[in-house]
Structures are given as C-alpha cells and as structure tokens.
Amino acid sequence: MSNPFRYFNSSPEVIRLVVMMYVKYPLSLRNVEDLLAERGIDISHETVRFWWNRFGPMFAAEIRKKRVAHMRGYPQWRWHLDEAFVKVNGKLCYLWRAVDHEGEVLESVVTVKRDKAAALKFLRRIMKKYGRPLSVVTDGLCSYPAAMKEIGNADRREVGRRLNNRAENSHQPFRRRERAMQRFRNMKTLQKFSSVHAGVHNHFNQERHLVTRQAYKQRRAGALAEWRALAA
C-alpha cells in the first residue's frame, strides 16, 4: 500500500495525534489548535478539519477491518440495535446504531425516516459486513420486526425491558461530542463523523470501571501503540 502521508509536510505521528484528539475527546477545532500550540505544534484549526476529514475515515476503516476479522466467526455474537434523534440544521433525522455484546459499535447509519425501509437499509448494511448474529435485541419499534421478517431473521429478534440498555448507553459518547460540535450542518457530515467516532471510540474503550488500574494502563498503552501503527 502506498504511503498516505507522502504529500504532507507534517509527520504521521502529528497527524495521528490531531485526529485522535479531535475525534476521541469533546474538543472543538480551535481547542485542538490551542492544545497543540502548547506542545510547540503550530497548525490552524482548518488543518485540523482537513486532517480528520482526510484520515479519520481511513483510520476507522482499518480499526473496523481488524474487528470484523476477529469477530466474524464468533458463534455467540449478539447485536443490540437502537436509533437516536439528531437535529441537522433544525430538521429531525435518525441515527441508527448497532452494538455488539461487548459494547462496540458495529455500524452507524443516518436516515430521514424511521420506517421499515430505513430499518431494512440499516440491517442489510450491517449484515453485508458482519454476517448474521445469533440474536438481535431491539426496542419496541414496529419497523424492526417488519424489516427482519423480510430478510428472514425474525426468529432471532429479542425484545424486553432493559435488554437494550447496551445500545442506548452507546449513544452517550456521541451525544457529548455532538454538543461540543454545536450540532451538525448536513446529513453527510453526520454520517461521516458518526462512523469515524464509533471506530475511534471502540479502539480506546477499555471499560476501565471493570478492570484494575494496572490492567487498564496496560490496555491503554496497547491501544495507543496500535493507533500509532495505523496506516504505517
């Protein structure tokens, strides 16, 4: 593979750092510019915007590719599906999200409606990438059973109180990021950022409340080392 950084004067390490800071943390473009200036790195906020647009999808795709290769044959794979309301230029749209049993976001899809066609588009997209899971947990939205019946997956659907908390909780990091960005201007940007954000959040999500401090530090160091090796 050709070097994706070959036309840029900045080092790959700086570009990876910029993308990680902007996508992972609830920072604005100018926040990232100021934090880098304190470290002696002089770039403008427009450079931050350009770099995350250029390299963010590439990094997220590489992370997702490794995840798919690792989990595709997992026999007990359980998905949790949910949708969130998002305003784009004052208009309401829907962000569909699929989360696996470990809390990692598999796919994010933005649609204008929340009907059967939208649910079908979402389900076909994730199944094309990941295959069929053992079971699918959803809320009571009628679009899910209609879409799953059409693709022959209705017998794998589960619905129950609190069963889908994992998917609902997965919206929280995105909501914090949304507030920092002061919402989105168009659906294309929302789709792109939500996909990139999900991949980066998956990579650095170490569930620190479930492990010891020492184990968390080791996992964090491993995640940073893998991040620095992306697109190398």
Side-chain angles (χ1 to χ4, degrees):
M1 184 179 72
S2 60
N3 181 12
F5 307 104
R6 64 188 181 279
Y7 297 124
F8 295 84
N9 293 328
S10 296
S11 67
E13 291 75 16
V14 171
I15 293 175
R16 292 192 192 97
L17 175 63
V18 169
V19 175
M20 182 189 73
M21 289 176 67
Y22 181 66
V23 179
K24 179 184 176 185
Y25 303 107
L27 301 171
S28 68
L29 296 168
R30 288 174 173 80
N31 289 154
V32 176
E33 177 185 347
D34 293 342
L35 288 171
L36 291 171
E38 293 176 9
R39 291 159 174 77
I41 303 173
D42 183 21
I43 62 172
S44 72
H45 66 277
E46 289 298 337
T47 302
V48 178
R49 187 199 307 275
F50 179 78
W51 282 353
W52 95 256
N53 270 290
R54 175 70 176 267
F55 294 100
M58 181 178 66
F59 294 157
E62 195 167 335
I63 293 170
R64 190 179 299 111
K65 184 179 179 181
K66 292 179 180 178
R67 176 67 175 169
V68 172
H70 176 67
M71 294 298 298
R72 192 176 179 90
Y74 186 77
Q76 304 298 323
W77 211 359
R78 189 187 201 192
W79 294 354
H80 299 256
L81 311 184
D82 193 37
E83 66 288 337
F85 299 90
V86 183
K87 278 194 173 182
V88 178
N89 260 350
K91 295 182 179 180
L92 201 63
C93 62
Y94 304 94
L95 177 63
W96 303 72
R97 193 185 297 270
V99 182
D100 71 5
H101 60 285
E102 294 183 349
E104 296 205 5
V105 181
L106 303 174
E107 193 70 36
S108 298
V109 176
V110 180
T111 62
V112 177
K113 296 182 179 180
R114 199 169 52 147
D115 55 8
K116 174 186 171 182
L120 201 57
K121 173 186 176 182
F122 176 51
L123 287 166
R124 282 175 172 165
R125 183 165 173 173
I126 56 176
M127 288 184 178
K128 182 179 180 181
K129 285 186 179 179
Y130 301 99
R132 291 178 182 266
L134 178 70
S135 63
V136 180
V137 181
T138 72
D139 55 21
L141 181 67
C142 296
S143 302
Y144 288 119
M148 293 180 73
K149 183 178 179 181
E150 182 161 330
I151 61 177
N153 215 32
D155 59 322
R156 303 189 184 190
R157 179 172 177 254
E158 296 181 32
V159 183
R161 189 177 183 184
R162 299 190 183 92
L163 276 181
N164 216 26
N165 284 356
R166 187 172 289 278
E168 293 173 359
N169 291 339
S170 73
H171 296 304
Q172 294 177 6
F174 175 79
R175 289 300 192 192
R176 289 193 290 269
R177 200 64 192 78
E178 181 189 22
R179 288 192 292 271
M181 296 178 70
Q182 298 180 353
R183 301 188 184 277
F184 295 89
R185 302 294 183 271
N186 57 68
M187 290 182 61
K188 185 178 179 180
T189 302
L190 171 58
Q191 176 67 69
K192 184 176 184 179
F193 187 85
S194 62
S195 297
V196 174
H197 180 267
V200 174
H201 182 266
N202 286 346
H203 185 73
F204 289 103
N205 181 22
Q206 304 301 323
E207 296 185 331
R208 61 188 304 170
H209 60 292
L210 299 178
V211 297
T212 63
R213 173 67 179 169
Q214 188 61 33
Y216 171 70
K217 288 171 66 176
Q218 291 175 353
R219 292 182 183 183
R220 181 178 62 186
L224 284 170
E226 290 180 17
W227 176 265
R228 291 173 183 139
L230 289 176

